[in-house]
Amino acid sequence: MRYIRTLWGLVILVLTLTLVPSISAQPGGLITYGSTLTAEISAAAPQTLFSFSGQAGDLVTVYAIGNSTGLQPTLTLLGPTGQLGFNNGDRLSPVSGDARITYRLQQPGQYNIVVGALNGAMGTYTITLQSQPAAVATPLGPEGATATFQPGSP
């Protein structure tokens, strides 16, 4: 029985290390909603970590485009507790030169974006972070019907 528990523990550890990306990345700093930054991927720093603060319900779009020939960015979004929120490596269409994540945040807190590149490519890239705040429900009448209002929309 002890052998089986140990084996399952090893299986879970291997799966965790395989499926959850390493966040040993150079710090890219703070990125805020509406910001566009340029950074570099190099042999010494193959990943960059950006942080932002988000609220539950925010619809976040992260977009990275390779500025250097052959640079295919990858994006990983990590939640406040380090859990994997979303990963986009564009592995099925590596000729596009960009990566995008659109994700509704599940909880408030500090989120991290890890930018890397496919096939060890190096060069500069541009990253943009955009957000739409959570929708607000407004009661319309005594029947309890509600309308959803998206701030910033007509």
Side-chain angles (χ1 to χ4, degrees), residues 103-117:
Y103 184 78
R104 188 161 308 275
L105 303 183
Q106 302 301 308
Q107 58 188 346
Q110 181 170 317
Y111 285 76
N112 293 299
I113 303 163
V114 180
V115 182

Side-chain angles (χ1 to χ4, degrees), residues 35 79 84 86 88 101 106:
S35 295
L84 179 64
F86 201 84
N88 178 356
I101 291 175
Q106 302 301 308

Side-chain angles (χ1 to χ4, degrees), residues 26 39-48 66-74 91 94 97 115-125:
Q26 72 173 338
E40 183 176 7
I41 294 175
S42 66
Q47 293 181 321
T48 307
N67 299 329
S68 301
T69 303
L71 180 64
Q72 173 64 49
T74 62
R91 294 185 189 277
V115 182
L118 288 179
N119 303 321
M122 295 178 278
T124 61
Y125 63 90

Side-chain angles (χ1 to χ4, degrees), residues 4-116:
I4 292 173
R5 274 189 264 158
T6 303
L7 182 60
W8 274 114
L10 288 173
V11 168
I12 291 170
L13 177 63
V14 168
L15 287 174
T16 301
L17 293 174
T18 303
L19 298 176
V20 177
S22 168
I23 57 169
S24 59
Q26 72 173 338
L30 182 65
I31 187 168
T32 57
Y33 292 154
S35 295
T36 298
L37 304 172
T38 299
E40 183 176 7
I41 294 175
S42 66
Q47 293 181 321
T48 307
L49 178 76
F50 295 93
S51 299
F52 71 95
S53 180
Q55 297 300 315
D58 287 357
L59 182 63
V60 175
T61 299
V62 184
Y63 183 69
I65 186 165
N67 299 329
S68 301
T69 303
L71 180 64
Q72 173 64 49
T74 62
L75 292 170
T76 301
L77 179 64
L78 301 172
T81 61
Q83 79 275 17
L84 179 64
F86 201 84
N87 187 347
N88 178 356
D90 275 357
R91 294 185 189 277
L92 298 177
S93 60
V95 295
S96 65
D98 67 342
R100 178 186 304 242
I101 291 175
T102 299
Y103 184 78
R104 188 161 308 275
L105 303 183
Q106 302 301 308
Q107 58 188 346
Q110 181 170 317
Y111 285 76
N112 293 299
I113 303 163
V114 180
V115 182

